[in-house]
Amino acid sequence: MAFITSGAAAVSGASLTARRAFTGAAVCPVPAGPAAPTAATWSMSAGGLRTFLVGGNWKCNLSKDAITSLCKELAAAPDLETDKVEVVLAPPTPYLDHTRSVLRQDFEVAAQNIWVGGPGAFTGETVAEMIKDVGCTWVILGHSERRNLPQIRETDDFIAQKTKTALSHGLKVMFCIGETLQEREEGRTLDVCVRQLHALVETIEAGDWKDVVIAYEPVWAIGTGKVATPDQVEEVHEKIRHYLAKDVNEKVAQETRILYGGSVSPGNCNELAQLPDVDGFLVGGASLKASFLEVIESFKSDLAATV
C-alpha cells in the first residue's frame, strides 16, 4: 500500500491548509511522489466519541526527588474532567511505586516496558503482574527507541506478543508506531505503520482493541524539534483508521484512539488537538515540566472543534 506523498488527504470535519507549519518549528519536507489515490468514502471525525488522552513518557529521566517535586506541581491544577480527558504518566521502572504514591489520583501510571511472559528466571525483566502490583494500569509498548536502538531492536512480532501478554493481565496498552526520516522520504510511511500494526492485528482478538491506544510517533520528530504539519499528522491518522476498518472492523476503527507524538509542546498542542483523527498525545520532554498541564488542557480545543 503506497503512502500519499503529494496532495492533501480528504478528512472529515476539518479543512486543512496543505502542509502548514507551526510557528518556529522545523518541518519535515514532503517528498515528491505519485498522485494521491482517491480517498476512501469511509471517514469519520471524533465528535466526542473517543475520550481525549494525554500520556507523558518520562523515559530514562528524573530522580525520586524530582518526581516528588513535579507531582506536587501537577497537583496544583483543578480536578480532571475524566469523562473528557485521561492522563497517564510513565516514569522509569524503579520509580513506578513512588510515582503512584505521590501522584494525584486522577492521573494514571504506566510502565515503559514489560517482559513477554510470566515470572521466572528472566534477569533484569519486569512482568505484568509486578506492574499491576504497584498500581500501574497502562504500559507503553513498541516505542521507536525500543524498535530502533541498535542495542535493543525489538521486532514487530515480539512487540505484538508483549501487547497480548499485557492485555491478558488487564493492562491497557499504548502501542507505538512510526517511520524514520529515511522511510518517510522514500514514501514508505504508511507501509511501515501498516507493517507494525499488522503484527498486532494478527496476534490479538477484535475484542482486545478496547484496551489498546495507538500512538503514531514519526521517529524523525521525536525530541528533534521537527514537527509534522497538521496535514501530515491527520493524513497518517486517517489512513491508520481506514486500515483498522479494513483489517479489523469498523467498530474498532471508530472507537480506537490514535495519539500523536513527536515534539508536542504547549506551543503546538492546541492546533493538533483540533484535527478530527487526533485523539490526544504521547508527550516526551514536555511532560517533564509543570507546563505539561497546558498540553492536558488542549482537550478543550478538541471539544471546541467538534461543536
Side-chain angles (χ1 to χ4, degrees), residues 9-14 16 42-47 49-50 52 213-216 230-242 244 252-260 271-281 302 305-306:
V11 298
S12 172
L16 304 177
W42 185 90
S43 187
M44 58 89 65
S45 60
L49 175 67
R50 301 182 295 269
F52 205 76
V213 170
I214 297 169
Y216 167 61
D231 279 347
Q232 289 172 327
V233 173
E234 175 60 26
E235 185 175 49
V236 176
H237 281 225
E238 186 194 31
K239 294 301 179 183
I240 290 170
R241 211 171 293 287
H242 279 274
L244 292 176
V252 167
Q254 292 185 37
E255 295 180 357
T256 299
R257 290 176 287 183
I258 307 175
L259 314 182
Y260 172 71
E271 188 172 17
L272 284 167
Q274 296 177 56
L275 299 174
D277 286 297
V278 170
D279 304 311
F281 305 112
D302 172 63
T306 64

Side-chain angles (χ1 to χ4, degrees), residues 19 25 31 33 60 68 81 111 135 142 152 158 166 171 187 198 210 218 223 227 240-241 248 252 268 284-285 307:
R19 290 178 292 280
C60 197
T68 301
E81 299 178 68
I152 304 176
F158 185 58
L171 290 169
H198 184 71
K210 68 183 187 303
V227 182
I240 290 170
R241 211 171 293 287
V248 187
V252 167
N268 59 35
V307 174

Side-chain angles (χ1 to χ4, degrees), residues 191-226:
D191 292 336
V192 171
C193 291
V194 165
R195 187 202 77 219
Q196 293 167 346
L197 279 172
H198 184 71
L200 186 59
V201 169
E202 292 290 299
T203 303
I204 66 173
E205 302 297 326
D208 294 329
W209 284 90
K210 68 183 187 303
D211 292 322
V212 176
V213 170
I214 297 169
Y216 167 61
E217 296 192 299
V219 180
W220 49 268
I222 299 174
T224 64
K226 294 181 179 179

Side-chain angles (χ1 to χ4, degrees), residues 41 61 115 119 210 244:
T41 56
N61 293 297
W115 174 237
K210 68 183 187 303
L244 292 176

Side-chain angles (χ1 to χ4, degrees), residues 3-8 19 27-36 179-190 216 220 229 232 235-236:
F3 179 66
I4 298 176
T5 53
S6 64
R19 290 178 292 280
V27 178
C28 179
V30 178
E179 82 284 7
T180 65
L181 180 59
Q182 180 178 345
E183 288 164 342
R184 170 167 278 274
E185 290 177 338
E186 293 172 353
R188 297 195 292 121
T189 294
L190 190 61
Y216 167 61
W220 49 268
T229 66
Q232 289 172 327
E235 185 175 49
V236 176

Side-chain angles (χ1 to χ4, degrees), residues 56-71 73-74 89-96 98-99 102-103 112 284-290 292:
N57 182 8
W58 292 351
K59 303 188 180 183
C60 197
N61 293 297
L62 300 180
S63 64
K64 186 175 181 179
D65 287 345
I67 288 172
T68 301
S69 296
L70 178 57
C71 288
E73 292 180 293
L74 295 175
L89 295 178
T93 300
Y95 303 130
L96 287 170
H98 175 69
T99 300
V102 298
L103 184 65
Q112 298 177 20
S287 69
L288 300 171
K289 306 172 185 177
F292 177 62

